[in-house]
Amino acid sequence: MRLKEEFRNETVINKSRFIACVKPCRTEEECRAYIEEIRSEYSDATHVCTAYVTGENDRIQRSSDNKEPGGTAGVPMLEAIRHSGISSVCACVVRYFGGIKLGAGGLIRAYSGAVTEALAKAQKTIDVTYHEYRIDYVYELSGLMEGWLRKYTEVIDQQFDEKVHMFVLSEEELNEKIRNISKGKAEIAFLKDVIREKDAEQ
């Protein structure tokens, strides 16, 4: 699961503002560029702490406390990302100090909580595998077949010669269903698998 787009969420704890900024980033270069962008945008902030998980199988994982006490910001943020189940993401938490010290435990809760809340609220997307098929049938079956295919699959192309050729995408395996609907008169051929992004349920 990944983020669909950048998302920001602000919380206030003991007068300190924490602005969590999270963005999908597929490479370490994208993560670094996003961090620079946020640090430039919030150049007057007390701290901009960061963490990211990216690369193949999320093997690249980095964090920075940005002058907060060691282990109170970056690592808790990284743990929040790991526990979210979201891949390829960069998180920056901008802090404007409000005059009341939070202590180590308070900082850990504030930074991890800011990331956890932002990731929970942000729109997510998942990769879904669709099967592409070509279905061939005689014109007499057009009403029956086309009606069913348009209702239960995504029709991506149609071609006509001595028969009708429908090209469709489906998350489900269609061979048996097409044979049953057409009483064995339609022919179906699997072409390839197609990976598409789909909004995850919140």
Side-chain angles (χ1 to χ4, degrees):
M1 187 161 55
R2 293 185 304 279
L3 295 185
K4 185 174 183 179
E5 57 196 4
E6 187 197 19
F7 181 79
R8 300 185 185 190
N9 188 65
E10 181 173 337
T11 54
V12 178
I13 301 171
N14 285 348
K15 298 185 179 179
S16 278
R17 290 173 62 207
F18 291 88
I19 306 165
C21 310
V22 293
K23 183 179 181 179
C25 294
R26 292 183 177 271
T27 66
E28 189 165 23
E29 290 72 25
E30 287 182 15
C31 291
R32 288 174 174 166
Y34 183 57
I35 290 167
E36 287 305 310
E37 178 186 319
I38 295 299
R39 285 187 172 154
S40 175
E41 181 178 343
Y42 295 98
S43 58
D44 60 336
T46 315
H47 304 278
V48 179
C49 302
T50 61
Y52 56 83
V53 170
T54 192
E56 188 178 352
N57 298 319
D58 290 340
R59 74 176 192 280
I60 301 171
Q61 301 188 6
R62 306 267 190 273
S63 65
S64 167
D65 294 315
N66 192 229
K67 299 180 183 176
E68 288 281 29
T72 62
V75 170
M77 290 168 60
L78 191 58
E79 285 300 313
I81 294 173
R82 289 173 180 153
H83 286 130
S84 73
I86 297 172
S87 297
S88 303
V89 61
C90 180
C92 302
V93 176
V94 178
R95 183 189 183 192
Y96 287 93
F97 183 55
I100 300 173
K101 291 188 176 181
L102 301 182
L107 288 172
I108 290 169
R109 287 188 295 274
Y111 280 102
S112 65
V115 173
T116 297
E117 187 174 337
L119 292 177
K121 289 181 176 179
Q123 179 66 55
K124 268 80 74 180
T125 184
I126 55 175
D127 285 337
V128 177
T129 300
Y130 290 86
H131 312 300
E132 184 177 334
Y133 295 97
R134 189 192 73 225
I135 300 159
D136 306 327
Y137 51 86
V138 295
Y139 284 89
E140 291 77 54
L141 291 175
S142 289
L144 172 70
M145 294 302 301
E146 185 168 346
W148 189 90
L149 290 169
R150 290 198 180 278
K151 185 174 182 180
Y152 294 106
T153 74
E154 179 185 343
V155 177
I156 55 175
D157 193 17
Q158 277 181 289
Q159 296 174 8
F160 305 94
D161 45 36
E162 67 274 8
K163 288 185 176 182
V164 180
H165 309 284
M166 295 284 276
F167 295 81
V168 303
L169 291 176
S170 172
E171 289 185 60
E172 298 181 29
E173 201 275 332
L174 291 183
N175 291 57
E176 189 174 341
K177 290 182 178 178
I178 295 301
R179 279 195 294 271
N180 291 341
I181 294 162
S182 69
K183 296 184 169 59
K185 295 178 182 177
E187 297 174 2
I188 179 169
F190 169 76
L191 300 179
K192 63 186 177 184
D193 281 337
V194 177
I195 306 293
R196 281 191 174 180
E197 285 192 349
K198 182 179 179 180
D199 288 354
E201 294 182 7
Q202 291 291 78

